[in-house]
Amino acid sequence: MQYFLVGLVVLLVIAMVALLIIYLKIKKVNDKLHKQQLENEIQRNKLEEANKELEQAKNHAEKVSGYKSEFLANISHAIRTPLNAITGYIYLVQKQLDPDNANTYIHNVLVASENLGVIVNDLLDISKIEAGKMVIEKTNFNPMSIVTQAISTLKGMAEEKNIALELHLDPLVPDHLVGDPYRLSQILINLINNAIKFSANGQEVSINMEFELQNKECLLKIGVADKGIGIEEQVLETIFESFSQVSNSIARNQTGTGMGLAIVKRLVELQEGSIAVESEPGVGSKFKFQIPYEVCELDEGNVKGVAFYDNDEETNKGISVLLVEDNEINQELAIDTINSWGLPFKIEVANNGLEALELIEKHTYQIILMDIMMPIMDGHETTIRIRQTLEGEKSHIPIIGMTAHAFTEERKTALENGMNAYITKPFNPEELKQKMLSFVSK
Ligand code: ADP
């Protein structure tokens, strides 16, 4: 009996151990299964996440491609509109249907051509930026004169809508900074132009410029504020995107291609700066940007050949200008434009660089307008010779380069060769006037 009991206990123990082993095995399999399940779950989440990202990327791509096609539709519309006006009015002028209307027709042609020029320049800029080919210059400049020049460029447009352009300058902004004045001017003109465009008649636009000194760097802070139609909140998010024109801008009866602010943002960022906008529909908008510049130590020796006049006798004698240009139509256009200002500029013409050098030897000029591509001797070579081979005052005459090349490299070469300023053709008469006046007024 005893043996039987012992046997039973042993059997029970064996059975329990067997059960325990079976249990442990099942548990192990279960744990493995559970682990597998967890892994599957993680895998599924990851897959879902990847799907979500893919979906987002697809939506974004669709959105961008939507922007692009919308942009292409807008841009071709924008290009065709001024082209239509140009060809139409030129046709009417040629037909002389009503000579009394010729002036209006020509004015309309001018406005349309300017609009076309802006579009072509914007297209060039955006493609240069997207290709990473936009070069930021480093040159000495006076920020105040850039702001005042930008305002004077847009004064006419503001006056047409009876809009006051108010400038608030921090008097402590340094006179001499090192950076890219052309890009600063481009940013300002874009923002002020929009502020005027989207303001109602009689409102005001204010521009303010402050600065902050941060370890030898000057942080230029500029704000352009208007009290115009403002921008809706959801639109503000995409306002700086390329190709995103606020869709109802056409309904707002405004022209534009939607490239301006995209270019502005890229230009600010290329200069290590930042831009932001605050806006409320019906109340107005404020665009604020800041760019860090090096503060320049003024070296008088850098300022080459500035001819001053005092508004008295000198004015009566006139300011002699030498126009170096081979193309006859361009000669006439420059002469007629300059004469139309009613300023005391007296223009003589040289048909190429060699003729220019001969004239400069014999006469005194206070400004030279220099085309770049010319037969016999081009503008670069002529400038180098003026700076290096002529003597005294003659070697310092201010030279303004004029060329149809819009590339920055060309301007860089021109300035390195000794030109003092540079203007691209088709030139903006107001810009040419400001540049010429900057060399004759004190
Ligand atoms: P556009 O050439 O169309 O003016 P922008 O990139 O300069 O292109 O501006 C994009 C859009 O942003 C404009 O069409 C306009 O609807 C809106 N916008 C820009 N600036 C202002 C402003 N100051 N006030 C109201 N809307 C503005």
Side-chain angles (χ1 to χ4, degrees):
M1 184 67 190
Q2 219 172 1
Y3 286 120
F4 173 73
L5 277 177
V6 169
L8 201 68
V9 169
V10 168
L11 221 66
L12 269 174
V13 168
I14 290 171
M16 273 172 74
V17 168
L19 273 173
L20 194 69
I21 290 170
I22 290 167
Y23 168 78
L24 283 176
K25 278 213 163 153
I26 288 173
K27 193 173 178 293
K28 208 171 157 193
V29 170
N30 257 347
D31 283 352
K32 226 174 164 182
L33 257 168
H34 187 67
K35 214 170 140 198
Q36 190 69 40
Q37 258 174 355
L38 272 180
E39 267 172 19
N40 282 349
E41 186 82 6
I42 291 170
Q43 237 21 51
R44 212 182 54 228
N45 284 346
K46 272 191 184 161
L47 220 69
E48 267 173 13
E49 230 162 77
N51 261 344
K52 230 195 235 159
E53 276 170 17
L54 219 68
E55 186 69 23
Q56 273 170 355
K58 188 173 142 255
N59 287 344
H60 185 72
E62 274 171 5
K63 209 165 142 194
V64 169
S65 128
Y67 279 160
K68 282 202 176 175
S69 14
E70 214 176 294
F71 166 77
L72 283 177
N74 275 343
I75 198 86
S76 58
H77 176 268
I79 289 176
R80 255 188 261 122
T81 309
L83 255 187
N84 181 50
I86 293 169
T87 47
Y89 282 114
I90 291 278
Y91 170 83
L92 289 179
V93 171
Q94 198 190 26
K95 282 264 173 197
Q96 298 248 323
L97 282 181
D98 182 354
D100 289 344
N101 282 338
N103 259 345
T104 321
Y105 295 166
I106 289 175
H107 170 79
N108 293 347
V109 168
L110 200 69
V111 172
S113 315
E114 279 169 2
N115 288 344
L116 200 57
V118 170
I119 297 168
V120 171
N121 285 341
D122 276 1
L123 272 176
L124 266 177
D125 278 345
I126 204 107
S127 56
K128 244 194 277 176
I129 293 171
E130 302 230 321
K133 293 234 159 69
M134 177 66 80
V135 182
I136 298 297
E137 310 250 337
K138 261 196 167 190
T139 180
N140 296 352
F141 72 98
N142 179 341
M144 282 187 249
S145 70
I146 298 298
V147 178
T148 46
Q149 266 175 36
I151 290 178
S152 93
T153 305
L154 295 165
K155 219 169 74 194
M157 181 183 173
E159 276 167 5
E160 273 175 29
K161 290 179 81 175
N162 194 22
I163 286 175
L165 296 179
E166 289 191 356
L167 177 60
H168 307 276
L169 282 179
D170 177 346
L172 295 176
V173 173
D175 280 350
H176 300 278
L177 297 178
V178 179
D180 196 327
Y182 314 102
R183 300 301 160 205
L184 177 60
S185 165
Q186 192 176 356
I187 294 164
L188 280 166
I189 288 177
N190 247 302
L191 296 180
I192 303 171
N193 182 63
N194 275 347
I196 299 172
K197 199 158 79 171
F198 297 104
S199 288
N201 285 4
Q203 288 184 324
E204 70 198 38
V205 167
S206 68
I207 301 117
N208 75 305
M209 179 156 78
E210 294 164 24
F211 97 111
E212 207 180 289
L213 211 54
Q214 282 185 348
N215 326 310
K216 281 195 176 172
E217 265 194 343
C218 167
L219 197 60
L220 206 58
K221 295 176 166 181
I222 299 183
V224 177
D226 64 62
K227 296 184 172 149
I229 56 174
I231 306 158
E232 278 145 35
E233 206 183 324
Q234 75 270 24
V235 172
L236 279 177
E237 289 165 18
T238 56
I239 199 138
F240 293 112
E241 296 251 347
S242 325
F243 316 120
S244 87
Q245 187 190 38
V246 175
S247 57
N248 62 353
S249 70
I250 291 166
R252 293 163 164 197
N253 201 17
Q254 300 294 346
T255 52
T257 55
M259 285 183 287
L261 289 178
I263 295 174
V264 162
K265 182 163 195 267
R266 306 301 185 283
L267 289 178
V268 169
E269 286 173 352
L270 275 173
Q271 297 174 86
E272 317 290 333
S274 60
I275 184 162
V277 55
E278 289 161 13
S279 185
E280 207 179 308
V283 178
S285 313
K286 182 166 188 183
F287 287 82
K288 293 187 287 188
F289 68 96
Q290 54 180 47
I291 300 178
Y293 291 101
E294 281 170 43
V295 183
C296 141
E297 306 286 337
L298 183 62
D299 173 7
E300 292 288 345
N302 282 343
V303 185
K304 279 184 208 149
V306 179
F308 295 114
Y309 81 104
D310 288 336
N311 238 0
D312 48 25
E313 266 178 60
E314 281 293 298
T315 318
N316 301 333
K317 271 198 265 163
I319 302 137
S320 46
V321 177
L322 180 63
L323 171 67
V324 193
E325 165 71 76
D326 63 312
N327 181 296
E328 232 175 274
I329 293 186
N330 282 342
Q331 287 174 1
E332 274 175 41
L333 178 65
I335 294 170
D336 291 343
T337 307
I338 295 170
N339 286 339
S340 75
W341 302 330
L343 292 168
F345 289 118
K346 301 236 163 80
I347 311 156
E348 281 179 45
V349 177
N351 292 294
N352 58 61
L354 204 61
E355 254 185 60
L357 286 175
E358 285 165 9
L359 282 169
I360 298 166
E361 292 269 14
K362 286 192 223 139
H363 307 283
T364 305
Y365 298 101
Q366 280 143 304
I367 297 178
I368 299 174
L369 298 178
M370 180 81 75
D371 182 24
I372 306 246
M373 280 214 337
M374 286 180 293
I376 307 177
M377 190 187 288
D378 71 13
H380 290 313
E381 175 71 25
T382 317
T383 304
I384 293 172
R385 294 218 185 181
I386 292 171
R387 297 289 181 240
Q388 292 181 0
T389 63
L390 298 184
E391 288 185 352
E393 280 298 296
K394 287 188 194 286
S395 69
H396 293 307
I397 308 171
I399 302 176
I400 302 176
M402 292 176 82
T403 174
H405 275 289
F407 297 112
T408 324
E409 297 72 39
E410 184 80 3
R411 174 161 59 207
K412 212 168 155 206
T413 316
L415 297 177
E416 276 167 9
N417 287 341
M419 289 188 186
N420 305 78
Y422 186 91
I423 189 163
T424 49
K425 288 192 272 193
F427 63 85
N428 173 331
E430 196 52 38
E431 189 188 348
L432 178 64
K433 186 163 119 188
Q434 293 304 330
K435 291 216 160 130
M436 290 176 76
L437 285 175
S438 75
F439 292 112
V440 293
S441 50
K442 210 167 193 174

